[in-house]
Amino acid sequence: MKVSLFKYLILSLLIIASNALLASEEADTTKSNDFDVNEVLMHHIKDTYEWHILDYVNKNDEHVVVSIPFPIILIGNGQFDIFMSSEFHHGDKTVKRGNNEYILYHEKIYYKSENGNEHGIEYKLNDKGEKIVANAKPLDFSITKNVVGVFLIVIVMLLIFLSVARGYKKRPGRPAGLQAFMEPVILFVKNDIVVPVIGEHKSEKFLPYLLTVFFFILFGNLFGLMPIFLGGANVTGNISVTFTLALFTMLITNFSGNKEYWKHIFAVPGVPIWLYPIMIPVELLGIIIKPFALMVRLFANITAGHIIVLSLISVIFIFKSAVMASVSIPLGLFMNILELLVAFLQAYVFTMLSALFIGLAVQEEH
Amino acid sequence: MDLVTPNVGLIFWTGILFVLLLLILWKFAWKPILGTINKRNQSIEDALNAADKARQDMQKLQADNKKIIAEAATERDRMLKEAREFGDDIIKKAKEDAKLEIIKLKENAQMEISAQKAGAINEIKNQVAVLSVDIAEKILRRSLSTEEKHDDLVNDMLKDIKLN
């Protein structure tokens, strides 16, 4: 079984490679309606102002996009503007509010520039010589797809865990249904992640945060894997979300750090005094680096998974050949199952490391 | 670069939503859930401890029972032995009593016999005296004609006595 699966994977890769050679030969002739993988991938991974459901070309050769618009909230130039993202018509139109005229360009909102191109976009070159948008940006507090994704996770978690809590009130002794399903997971987080690194007594204070963060990441990861509507928001693969979660861990770690913790930073025991000028900055950097690693690890793992699955699906469209589906779909399925594992693994890793950092900050001298 | 640039708005909303989620779950989910689980673990431990204690008590009770049974057995043995000894004593005593009684009875009987014997001898003595007197009387009454007759009479009389 193992061998045959391996053979299948090798064969699949060979088919992709041979097709890629053929495709590169005829690429010049079909440049006009070329399938831009990069744009598709980025569109799926990045945050948007609407929940895109589908788009198609109708009989009159018009491009129709079906999507749910979300409110856009902007602060800038002494103004506070709220309007629906549908007013942009997917970037075709600008929105004027008072003195401000906003444009949507590549899923970002800018002020319209007077000396820009026909879209109102002005370019400049950065120090690497790349062309970047020079327009000023308003402060953007819009309800984006990821905000809605976070909101969905919150709703689902509230539904699940309040129901589980009700279950414990009704039958404290014998768990049943959802309660029985969640209890082993809750106990796994408690007994196998948190208690071993923080300790039975102290973990009581941090357990609610660590449980919340574990299930938040787990549900975020799982929702991200669902390709249909209400799933697919790349919440835990978004740097802002992982930044927020890592920030919470950092704040909790440093605010609950005891005397020992600070002593280890400013006067590392067993280190000669002349090394302090090196050690103190290193330890201070560690305060930032630990949560930074948390942030990047989760973001990179989830984003990479999404990119691989989307790339495999995109292969079909790049080669414009249904035959490729015989390769792409099994490989994509394989990656999706792997991502299922990663979803649990990353939730575990984030929680475990958060617990570890907190545990190190609150441990007694030994 | 866009991909790895955090967005203030998303951080703001994520932060707010996450904090709200944390607070609600803390108060209404984690506290009751973990509390109940802890309470249940405590009750399970208590029950196990109680079962252990009950088992120990049971063992102690069984040991006590054995001891009591052993004591009862020795007591019974002792009582049986005593009873047997007591019985033996009674039988022995009864035998001795019977022996003494028999001796006594024998003595009494011998005394009676000798008394009656003495009585009978006395009687014979008296009768002999009476007979002697009678013979004498008869002899006297018959006037003795001859000497021979006289002797015949005495002989006859003596014969009579012998018959008696």
Side-chain angles (χ1 to χ4, degrees), chain A residues 1-12:
Chain A
M1 184 63 213
K2 239 180 192 170
V3 174
S4 63
L5 184 69
F6 184 67
K7 272 185 193 162
Y8 189 82
L9 287 175
I10 296 279
L11 188 70
S12 307

Side-chain angles (χ1 to χ4, degrees), chain A residues 25-239:
Chain A
E25 280 167 19
E26 49 185 311
D28 297 326
T29 54
T30 57
K31 199 143 199 177
S32 55
N33 50 355
D34 217 7
F35 178 80
D36 188 352
V37 189
N38 196 37
E39 202 197 306
V40 169
L41 290 188
M42 286 304 135
H43 177 77
H44 276 90
I45 284 159
K46 275 156 81 174
D47 210 359
T48 59
Y49 294 97
E50 56 188 15
W51 202 306
H52 180 254
I53 296 169
L54 63 100
D55 53 354
Y56 60 95
V57 179
N58 68 4
K59 278 183 228 155
N60 308 331
D61 217 25
E62 285 165 331
H63 191 216
V64 181
V65 180
V66 182
S67 62
I68 300 169
F70 296 131
I72 285 179
I73 303 162
L74 299 169
I75 300 168
N77 292 347
Q79 270 183 240
F80 180 80
D81 295 320
I82 302 179
F83 53 91
M84 295 305 281
S85 64
S86 50
E87 285 192 37
F88 281 122
H89 288 90
H90 312 294
D92 294 342
K93 286 187 181 156
T94 61
V95 175
K96 214 168 153 58
R97 285 286 186 280
N99 298 324
N100 294 345
E101 192 171 4
Y102 304 110
I103 48 174
L104 179 67
Y105 181 74
H106 283 279
E107 299 300 340
K108 280 233 173 305
I109 293 171
Y110 302 94
Y111 292 120
K112 190 175 179 174
S113 171
E114 294 303 321
N115 19 346
N117 60 7
E118 73 273 18
H119 297 297
I121 292 292
E122 195 183 343
Y123 294 101
K124 66 176 180 190
L125 295 177
N126 66 4
D127 18 323
K128 284 179 198 155
E130 290 161 347
K131 212 163 77 166
I132 55 163
V133 176
N135 293 34
K137 282 193 280 186
L139 214 49
D140 188 355
F141 284 94
S142 306
I143 306 298
T144 59
K145 185 180 174 181
N146 277 338
V147 175
V148 176
V150 171
F151 191 70
L152 278 174
I153 296 170
V154 170
I155 294 290
V156 168
M157 277 181 75
L158 286 179
L159 284 176
I160 288 177
F161 290 107
L162 293 183
S163 139
V164 169
R166 256 201 315 282
Y168 276 100
K169 273 201 191 104
K170 256 190 282 176
R171 26 168 208 280
R174 297 168 184 78
L178 188 62
Q179 181 194 0
F181 183 73
M182 295 314 293
E183 181 172 316
V185 190
I186 296 170
L187 287 180
F188 166 73
V189 174
K190 179 177 183 262
N191 296 334
D192 293 332
I193 303 180
V194 182
V195 170
V197 288
I198 301 185
E200 181 81 50
H201 179 63
K202 280 178 185 160
S203 64
E204 236 163 76
K205 212 164 70 184
F206 304 106
L207 205 48
Y209 166 71
L210 293 166
L211 278 168
T212 311
V213 106
F214 177 84
F215 285 107
F216 185 87
I217 293 171
L218 180 61
F219 283 117
N221 292 348
L222 293 177
F223 277 169
L225 287 180
M226 295 198 304
I228 50 164
F229 176 61
L230 286 185
N234 185 22
V235 172
T236 43
N238 186 293
I239 197 97

Side-chain angles (χ1 to χ4, degrees), chain A residues 108 140-141 172 183 212 240, chain B residues 2 7 9 13 22 28 30 40:
Chain A
K108 280 233 173 305
D140 188 355
F141 284 94
E183 181 172 316
T212 311
S240 306
Chain B
D2 222 22
N7 176 301
W13 291 116
L22 177 62
F28 298 107
W30 303 132
R40 189 206 299 156

